[in-house]
């Protein structure tokens, strides 16, 4: 019986060139047609592993983990400050499928920040928010709104503890009026008290002092956030 030898398949020139051009492992900087720059690890022509992306148009930088071409894992996103030509970190935390997802801290501006859980680029889960006017909310979030159980300490000394829905007080809750020394406890609907009791506390509100929250920029260019027992320091440069 004759022995049939399998024919050897010789790859075409285009296939050889394609294999050579496939990006896998660590690479030097790779520039896109629009001027964006990426330096880091690759897998099958996708950003995968650790890497740094610089967007030319905005000047923003992402430094962290990637998965099949998208930000995934832990990383920091920084923006370019046009007046000083320096970088300030905007978000530092976890990512999934290119979006903020998991635990992270986000700076809205120099005096407003959120630290807590994220889901698909929205505040969802438990988190603390320092608002620009000095109010502080600590509690549950859903789809970027206060939703669930939470405590809000207002800059004027008032505070509310109870249920929230779509960013408004809704359900059972307590509201302390610092200027009047009165405590309201009862039902809330769309941010308004509807049915409950109003108790005169005689101006004694030392049981619930307002903490001094601050977002500071030290001489070294570091942002320091103090949200209750949390202290986070983020370098303003990359």
């Amino acid at each position: 019986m004759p022995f049939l030898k399998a024919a050897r398949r010789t790859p075409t020139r285009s296939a050889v060139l394609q294999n050579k051009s496939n990006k896998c492992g660590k690479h030097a900087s790779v520039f896109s047609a629009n001027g964006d720059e990426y330096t880091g690890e690759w897998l099958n022509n996708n950003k995968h592993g650790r890497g740094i992306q610089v967007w030319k148009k905005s000047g923003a930088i992402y430094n962290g983990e990637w998965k099949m071409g998208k930000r995934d894992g832990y990383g920091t996103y920084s923006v370019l400050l046009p007046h000083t030509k320096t970088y300030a970190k905007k978000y530092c935390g976890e990512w999934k499928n290119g979006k903020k997802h998991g635990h992270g801290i986000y700076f809205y501006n120099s005096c407003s920040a959120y630290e807590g859980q994220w889901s698909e680029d929205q505040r969802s889960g438990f988190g603390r928010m320092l608002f620009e006017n000095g109010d502080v909310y600590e509690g549950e979030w859903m789809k970027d709104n206060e939703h669930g159980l939470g405590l809000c300490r207002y800059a004027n000394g008032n505070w509310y503890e109870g249920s929230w829905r779509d960013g408004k007080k809704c359900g059972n809750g307590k509201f302390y009026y610092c200027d009047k020394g009165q405590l309201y406890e009862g039902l809330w609907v769309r941010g308004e008290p509807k049915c409950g009791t109003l108790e005169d506390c005689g101006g004694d509100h030392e049981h619930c002092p307002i903490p001094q929250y601050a977002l500071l920029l030290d001489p070294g260019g570091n942002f320091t956030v103090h949200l209750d027992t949390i202290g986070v320091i983020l370098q303003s440069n990359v």
Side-chain angles (χ1 to χ4, degrees), residues 108-212:
Y108 291 89
N109 52 46
S110 60
C111 53
S112 179
Y114 170 82
E115 191 272 342
Q117 296 295 315
W118 296 80
S119 178
E120 296 186 343
D121 267 347
Q122 293 183 322
R123 293 167 290 185
S124 291
F126 184 86
R128 297 177 176 92
M129 177 74 194
L130 169 62
F131 293 93
E132 191 170 0
N133 63 358
D135 296 346
V136 179
Y137 172 84
E138 178 178 0
E140 296 176 302
W141 297 76
M142 188 173 74
K143 295 182 178 179
D144 245 7
N145 286 309
E146 300 94 327
H147 193 97
L149 296 178
L151 168 66
C152 187
R153 302 171 188 261
Y154 298 94
N156 62 3
N158 297 344
W159 58 263
Y160 170 82
E161 181 180 14
S163 297
W164 298 74
R165 184 180 179 87
D166 297 330
K168 295 182 179 180
K169 295 180 276 294
C170 190
N172 293 320
K174 301 177 182 179
F175 192 99
Y176 181 77
Y177 298 89
C178 179
D179 55 341
K180 301 177 181 179
Q182 295 178 326
L183 178 68
Y184 168 84
E185 183 174 359
L187 180 66
W188 295 75
V189 178
R190 297 188 182 92
E192 300 294 333
K194 292 299 181 181
C195 180
T197 59
L198 188 63
E199 178 184 356
D200 189 353
C201 299
D204 180 16
H205 59 275
E206 294 182 356
H207 63 282
C208 188
I210 303 299
Q212 297 300 315

